Amino acid sequence: LDMFVERMQTVSGHGRSIVLDQSVQSLFQSLSAMHPPLLSAMEELDQTRAHYTGMEEKLQESKEARVTLNAMRRQHQEKVRQQQSELEMLARIQMQQKLLHCSDS
């Protein structure tokens, strides 16, 4: 493309018609032939970019879900520990009451 622009500037700078210049015409035909494949490649790159952007969004959602899940696990573990502690305390109280009741008899 740079060669094409340079050649057009050179030809027009010398006062000649770019339409009649064989090099300009040859470069124009080459560029014209490359245009459809380049458009296809650009479209493919856009689709690939969109795909990876979607994957990045899903990855971020997964990371956020993992953080939330870990927080919920910790809360659940703490709740289970608290329940176990309460059950142990209740068992001790009941044991103490039984011992007091047996010693009173």
Side-chain angles (χ1 to χ4, degrees):
L1 190 56
D2 289 336
M3 287 175 41
F4 178 68
V5 171
E6 284 181 35
R7 183 64 186 176
M8 285 191 337
Q9 289 173 343
T10 301
V11 169
S12 67
H14 288 106
R16 295 186 305 230
S17 172
I18 58 173
V19 175
L20 299 177
D21 186 78
Q22 191 61 32
S23 294
V24 171
Q25 292 301 316
S26 175
L27 289 168
F28 178 77
Q29 288 175 350
S30 295
L31 290 173
S32 294
M34 290 181 213
H35 191 252
L38 287 174
L39 288 177
S40 295
M42 286 174 53
E43 177 65 27
E44 185 177 331
L45 286 173
D46 285 342
Q47 289 174 355
T48 302
R49 185 180 300 115
H51 171 74
Y52 283 112
T53 299
M55 296 296 282
E56 285 178 342
E57 289 171 2
K58 288 179 183 180
L59 178 61
Q60 186 60 35
E61 289 174 8
S62 295
K63 287 178 180 179
E64 291 170 3
R66 170 74 57 192
V67 168
T68 302
L69 179 62
N70 287 339
M72 291 174 70
R73 279 186 181 139
R74 284 190 300 273
Q75 289 173 352
H76 177 71
Q77 288 170 348
E78 182 58 34
K79 184 178 178 181
V80 167
R81 276 192 287 261
Q82 187 176 5
Q83 287 174 345
Q84 287 174 342
S85 177
E86 289 172 359
L87 286 174
E88 289 171 3
M89 186 183 299
L90 182 61
R92 271 184 272 152
I93 291 171
Q94 288 175 346
M95 182 78 71
Q96 288 173 350
Q97 287 177 348
K98 284 182 184 181
L99 288 172
L100 284 175
H101 183 66
C102 287
S103 66
D104 287 343
S105 303

